[in-house]
Structure formats: structure tokens, C-alpha cells
Amino acid sequence: MPSTSISKTEYDPDRRTLSVWFVASGKCYQFEDVPPETFAEFRAAFAKGRFFNERIRNRFRYRLVGTANNSG
């Protein structure tokens, strides 16, 4: 099911980095050291925003990496 709060996600299994783009702000954050099992559960979650808030947000180190509008 599409999320109303998360527009896109990408996961790099080698670096264990989860990138999340948010609908409202267009911002992308990278979350570090996310286990592949957590990403698999996130992808399978019916309510992605709820899963993100409960299992990812404030549990993994993160940084702002850009916005959806910075590609030109």
C-alpha cells in the first residue's frame, strides 16, 4: 500500500543504509546500520509511516542528505 507520508525508500545492504524520502518536505534522510530484516519488515508493513515511527525513527543514527527537488 502506498504511504501518505513516505514517498520512496532505498536500501543498500552492503552499507546497511536506509534512505527515506518524505512526502510533505521532500527531504531524504539516510539511516545507518539498519539490519536487512528491519528493511524487509518495513517494505512489507501495511502502514509504512507507523512502522517507520515505531521501529526506525529515533532508533538509528541518521543524516539529511537532500531533497527531492535538488536534481534540477
Side-chain angles (χ1 to χ4, degrees):
M1 174 176 198
S3 173
T4 57
S5 58
I6 297 169
S7 62
K8 179 180 172 183
T9 61
E10 287 180 0
Y11 183 69
D12 181 339
D14 296 327
R15 293 176 54 217
R16 294 171 54 112
T17 302
L18 172 64
S19 300
V20 180
W21 284 262
F22 292 91
V23 172
S25 66
K27 293 180 180 178
C28 174
Y29 291 87
Q30 279 187 343
F31 294 83
E32 300 175 4
D33 203 29
V34 177
E37 300 81 18
T38 301
F39 177 64
E41 292 172 11
F42 183 35
R43 278 188 57 174
F46 180 77
K48 296 204 177 11
R50 178 180 295 161
F51 184 94
F52 174 82
N53 286 332
E54 293 176 356
R55 301 279 307 277
I56 297 171
R57 182 180 180 204
N58 298 325
R59 292 179 184 252
F60 296 96
R61 184 184 212 169
Y62 68 91
R63 64 187 177 101
L64 175 64
V65 293
T67 63
N69 299 331
N70 68 356
S71 59

